[in-house]
mmCIF file of all heavy atoms in Angstrom:
data_model
loop_
_atom_site.group_PDB
_atom_site.id
_atom_site.type_symbol
_atom_site.label_atom_id
_atom_site.label_comp_id
_atom_site.label_asym_id
_atom_site.label_seq_id
_atom_site.Cartn_x
_atom_site.Cartn_y
_atom_site.Cartn_z
ATOM 1 N N PHE Y 249 -98.747 83.045 117.469
ATOM 2 C CA PHE Y 249 -98.245 83.004 116.096
ATOM 3 C C PHE Y 249 -97.318 81.802 115.949
ATOM 4 O O PHE Y 249 -96.346 81.669 116.687
ATOM 5 C CB PHE Y 249 -97.514 84.315 115.791
ATOM 6 C CG PHE Y 249 -96.886 84.372 114.421
ATOM 7 C CD1 PHE Y 249 -97.637 84.144 113.278
ATOM 8 C CD2 PHE Y 249 -95.548 84.665 114.280
ATOM 9 C CE1 PHE Y 249 -97.067 84.210 112.022
ATOM 10 C CE2 PHE Y 249 -94.961 84.746 113.026
ATOM 11 C CZ PHE Y 249 -95.721 84.513 111.899
ATOM 12 N N THR Y 250 -97.638 80.923 115.027
ATOM 13 C CA THR Y 250 -96.798 79.772 114.719
ATOM 14 C C THR Y 250 -96.402 79.889 113.256
ATOM 15 O O THR Y 250 -97.147 79.469 112.368
ATOM 16 C CB THR Y 250 -97.556 78.448 114.966
ATOM 17 O OG1 THR Y 250 -98.073 78.471 116.296
ATOM 18 C CG2 THR Y 250 -96.642 77.255 114.786
ATOM 19 N N PRO Y 251 -95.223 80.474 112.983
ATOM 20 C CA PRO Y 251 -94.834 80.689 111.595
ATOM 21 C C PRO Y 251 -94.603 79.384 110.846
ATOM 22 O O PRO Y 251 -94.200 78.373 111.424
ATOM 23 C CB PRO Y 251 -93.537 81.491 111.693
ATOM 24 C CG PRO Y 251 -93.156 81.543 113.117
ATOM 25 C CD PRO Y 251 -94.240 80.964 113.930
ATOM 26 N N GLN Y 252 -94.876 79.440 109.568
ATOM 27 C CA GLN Y 252 -94.648 78.308 108.666
ATOM 28 C C GLN Y 252 -93.531 78.684 107.691
ATOM 29 O O GLN Y 252 -93.151 79.847 107.592
ATOM 30 C CB GLN Y 252 -95.946 77.982 107.906
ATOM 31 C CG GLN Y 252 -97.122 77.645 108.805
ATOM 32 C CD GLN Y 252 -96.857 76.432 109.675
ATOM 33 O OE1 GLN Y 252 -96.468 75.387 109.181
ATOM 34 N NE2 GLN Y 252 -97.057 76.568 110.977
ATOM 35 N N LEU Y 253 -93.018 77.698 106.977
ATOM 36 C CA LEU Y 253 -91.980 77.964 105.980
ATOM 37 C C LEU Y 253 -92.450 79.043 105.008
ATOM 38 O O LEU Y 253 -93.583 78.993 104.517
ATOM 39 C CB LEU Y 253 -91.631 76.700 105.204
ATOM 40 C CG LEU Y 253 -90.736 75.704 105.915
ATOM 41 C CD1 LEU Y 253 -90.537 74.463 105.032
ATOM 42 C CD2 LEU Y 253 -89.396 76.299 106.280
ATOM 43 N N GLY Y 254 -91.602 80.014 104.748
ATOM 44 C CA GLY Y 254 -91.913 81.071 103.798
ATOM 45 C C GLY Y 254 -92.628 82.261 104.392
ATOM 46 O O GLY Y 254 -92.753 83.293 103.737
ATOM 47 N N ASP Y 255 -93.106 82.149 105.629
ATOM 48 C CA ASP Y 255 -93.783 83.281 106.269
ATOM 49 C C ASP Y 255 -92.788 84.387 106.591
ATOM 50 O O ASP Y 255 -91.623 84.123 106.900
ATOM 51 C CB ASP Y 255 -94.436 82.863 107.585
ATOM 52 C CG ASP Y 255 -95.731 82.102 107.408
ATOM 53 O OD1 ASP Y 255 -96.208 81.990 106.258
ATOM 54 O OD2 ASP Y 255 -96.262 81.615 108.421
ATOM 55 N N LEU Y 256 -93.275 85.621 106.551
ATOM 56 C CA LEU Y 256 -92.495 86.741 107.062
ATOM 57 C C LEU Y 256 -92.777 86.850 108.557
ATOM 58 O O LEU Y 256 -93.923 86.702 108.986
ATOM 59 C CB LEU Y 256 -92.902 88.049 106.384
ATOM 60 C CG LEU Y 256 -92.388 88.297 104.982
ATOM 61 C CD1 LEU Y 256 -92.967 89.593 104.434
ATOM 62 C CD2 LEU Y 256 -90.875 88.345 104.939
ATOM 63 N N ALA Y 257 -91.732 87.103 109.324
ATOM 64 C CA ALA Y 257 -91.894 87.252 110.763
ATOM 65 C C ALA Y 257 -90.995 88.374 111.252
ATOM 66 O O ALA Y 257 -89.901 88.591 110.728
ATOM 67 C CB ALA Y 257 -91.551 85.951 111.468
ATOM 68 N N THR Y 258 -91.471 89.079 112.258
ATOM 69 C CA THR Y 258 -90.682 90.098 112.938
ATOM 70 C C THR Y 258 -90.088 89.448 114.178
ATOM 71 O O THR Y 258 -90.807 88.841 114.965
ATOM 72 C CB THR Y 258 -91.571 91.286 113.355
ATOM 73 O OG1 THR Y 258 -92.164 91.844 112.191
ATOM 74 C CG2 THR Y 258 -90.773 92.351 114.075
ATOM 75 N N ASP Y 259 -88.777 89.579 114.351
ATOM 76 C CA ASP Y 259 -88.097 88.975 115.496
ATOM 77 C C ASP Y 259 -87.810 90.065 116.528
ATOM 78 O O ASP Y 259 -86.932 90.898 116.345
ATOM 79 C CB ASP Y 259 -86.802 88.298 115.048
ATOM 80 C CG ASP Y 259 -86.184 87.441 116.128
ATOM 81 O OD1 ASP Y 259 -86.619 87.549 117.294
ATOM 82 O OD2 ASP Y 259 -85.268 86.669 115.808
ATOM 83 N N THR Y 260 -88.554 90.026 117.619
ATOM 84 C CA THR Y 260 -88.409 91.055 118.649
ATOM 85 C C THR Y 260 -87.068 90.953 119.379
ATOM 86 O O THR Y 260 -86.606 91.933 119.961
ATOM 87 C CB THR Y 260 -89.553 90.974 119.679
ATOM 88 O OG1 THR Y 260 -89.548 89.676 120.294
ATOM 89 C CG2 THR Y 260 -90.903 91.221 119.009
ATOM 90 N N ALA Y 261 -86.433 89.797 119.349
ATOM 91 C CA ALA Y 261 -85.127 89.633 119.995
ATOM 92 C C ALA Y 261 -84.004 90.227 119.149
ATOM 93 O O ALA Y 261 -82.877 90.343 119.604
ATOM 94 C CB ALA Y 261 -84.853 88.160 120.265
ATOM 95 N N HIS Y 262 -84.305 90.574 117.911
ATOM 96 C CA HIS Y 262 -83.307 91.166 117.009
ATOM 97 C C HIS Y 262 -83.783 92.540 116.538
ATOM 98 O O HIS Y 262 -83.827 92.840 115.349
ATOM 99 C CB HIS Y 262 -83.046 90.247 115.809
ATOM 100 C CG HIS Y 262 -82.234 89.045 116.153
ATOM 101 N ND1 HIS Y 262 -82.812 87.859 116.580
ATOM 102 C CD2 HIS Y 262 -80.899 88.852 116.180
ATOM 103 C CE1 HIS Y 262 -81.861 86.987 116.829
ATOM 104 N NE2 HIS Y 262 -80.688 87.557 116.601
ATOM 105 N N SER Y 263 -84.219 93.357 117.488
ATOM 106 C CA SER Y 263 -84.639 94.745 117.222
ATOM 107 C C SER Y 263 -85.731 94.869 116.166
ATOM 108 O O SER Y 263 -85.730 95.795 115.366
ATOM 109 C CB SER Y 263 -83.426 95.589 116.809
ATOM 110 O OG SER Y 263 -82.439 95.551 117.794
ATOM 111 N N GLY Y 264 -86.649 93.913 116.129
ATOM 112 C CA GLY Y 264 -87.757 93.985 115.182
ATOM 113 C C GLY Y 264 -87.376 93.646 113.758
ATOM 114 O O GLY Y 264 -88.101 93.961 112.819
ATOM 115 N N ARG Y 265 -86.260 92.994 113.588
ATOM 116 C CA ARG Y 265 -85.786 92.605 112.249
ATOM 117 C C ARG Y 265 -86.802 91.664 111.594
ATOM 118 O O ARG Y 265 -87.343 90.775 112.232
ATOM 119 C CB ARG Y 265 -84.444 91.906 112.422
ATOM 120 C CG ARG Y 265 -83.703 91.630 111.171
ATOM 121 C CD ARG Y 265 -82.333 91.084 111.534
ATOM 122 N NE ARG Y 265 -81.583 90.790 110.338
ATOM 123 C CZ ARG Y 265 -80.454 90.126 110.328
ATOM 124 N NH1 ARG Y 265 -79.934 89.695 111.459
ATOM 125 N NH2 ARG Y 265 -79.831 89.898 109.208
ATOM 126 N N VAL Y 266 -87.058 91.876 110.312
ATOM 127 C CA VAL Y 266 -88.004 91.053 109.567
ATOM 128 C C VAL Y 266 -87.236 90.016 108.762
ATOM 129 O O VAL Y 266 -86.224 90.331 108.132
ATOM 130 C CB VAL Y 266 -88.877 91.914 108.626
ATOM 131 C CG1 VAL Y 266 -89.753 91.043 107.735
ATOM 132 C CG2 VAL Y 266 -89.736 92.873 109.439
ATOM 133 N N GLY Y 267 -87.726 88.779 108.810
ATOM 134 C CA GLY Y 267 -87.083 87.720 108.050
ATOM 135 C C GLY Y 267 -88.088 86.727 107.508
ATOM 136 O O GLY Y 267 -89.234 86.662 107.956
ATOM 137 N N VAL Y 268 -87.635 85.953 106.537
ATOM 138 C CA VAL Y 268 -88.430 84.868 105.966
ATOM 139 C C VAL Y 268 -88.056 83.601 106.724
ATOM 140 O O VAL Y 268 -86.870 83.309 106.915
ATOM 141 C CB VAL Y 268 -88.117 84.681 104.460
ATOM 142 C CG1 VAL Y 268 -88.911 83.519 103.880
ATOM 143 C CG2 VAL Y 268 -88.404 85.960 103.699
ATOM 144 N N VAL Y 269 -89.047 82.846 107.165
ATOM 145 C CA VAL Y 269 -88.778 81.595 107.865
ATOM 146 C C VAL Y 269 -88.278 80.574 106.840
ATOM 147 O O VAL Y 269 -88.980 80.243 105.892
ATOM 148 C CB VAL Y 269 -90.038 81.074 108.588
ATOM 149 C CG1 VAL Y 269 -89.783 79.721 109.228
ATOM 150 C CG2 VAL Y 269 -90.521 82.087 109.607
ATOM 151 N N VAL Y 270 -87.023 80.127 107.018
ATOM 152 C CA VAL Y 270 -86.421 79.189 106.064
ATOM 153 C C VAL Y 270 -86.260 77.786 106.646
ATOM 154 O O VAL Y 270 -86.072 76.827 105.905
ATOM 155 C CB VAL Y 270 -85.070 79.712 105.513
ATOM 156 C CG1 VAL Y 270 -85.292 80.963 104.676
ATOM 157 C CG2 VAL Y 270 -84.073 79.978 106.623
ATOM 158 N N THR Y 271 -86.321 77.659 107.973
ATOM 159 C CA THR Y 271 -86.256 76.348 108.614
ATOM 160 C C THR Y 271 -87.125 76.364 109.857
ATOM 161 O O THR Y 271 -87.097 77.329 110.632
ATOM 162 C CB THR Y 271 -84.809 75.991 109.026
ATOM 163 O OG1 THR Y 271 -83.966 76.114 107.896
ATOM 164 C CG2 THR Y 271 -84.726 74.571 109.556
ATOM 165 N N LEU Y 272 -87.903 75.295 110.026
ATOM 166 C CA LEU Y 272 -88.751 75.156 111.207
ATOM 167 C C LEU Y 272 -88.066 74.266 112.230
ATOM 168 O O LEU Y 272 -87.295 73.368 111.862
ATOM 169 C CB LEU Y 272 -90.093 74.528 110.826
ATOM 170 C CG LEU Y 272 -90.950 75.283 109.824
ATOM 171 C CD1 LEU Y 272 -92.152 74.439 109.432
ATOM 172 C CD2 LEU Y 272 -91.389 76.611 110.399
ATOM 173 N N PRO Y 273 -88.358 74.468 113.515
ATOM 174 C CA PRO Y 273 -87.818 73.557 114.519
ATOM 175 C C PRO Y 273 -88.285 72.131 114.224
ATOM 176 O O PRO Y 273 -89.441 71.902 113.890
ATOM 177 C CB PRO Y 273 -88.421 74.051 115.833
ATOM 178 C CG PRO Y 273 -88.869 75.443 115.563
ATOM 179 C CD PRO Y 273 -89.176 75.510 114.103
ATOM 180 N N GLY Y 274 -87.371 71.189 114.293
ATOM 181 C CA GLY Y 274 -87.718 69.799 114.008
ATOM 182 C C GLY Y 274 -87.441 69.392 112.581
ATOM 183 O O GLY Y 274 -87.316 68.213 112.272
#
């Protein structure tokens, strides 16, 4: 999975918290 700006993602390192990708690496 390579999220893009605006995608919803579940972060397993934060107890499955769901967030909108607002900044990409780089």
Side-chain angles (χ1 to χ4, degrees):
F249 177 55
T250 307
Q252 302 300 308
L253 282 177
D255 283 354
L256 283 176
T258 300
D259 191 348
T260 59
H262 286 89
S263 303
R265 189 174 179 191
V266 174
V268 178
V269 176
V270 294
T271 306
L272 299 173

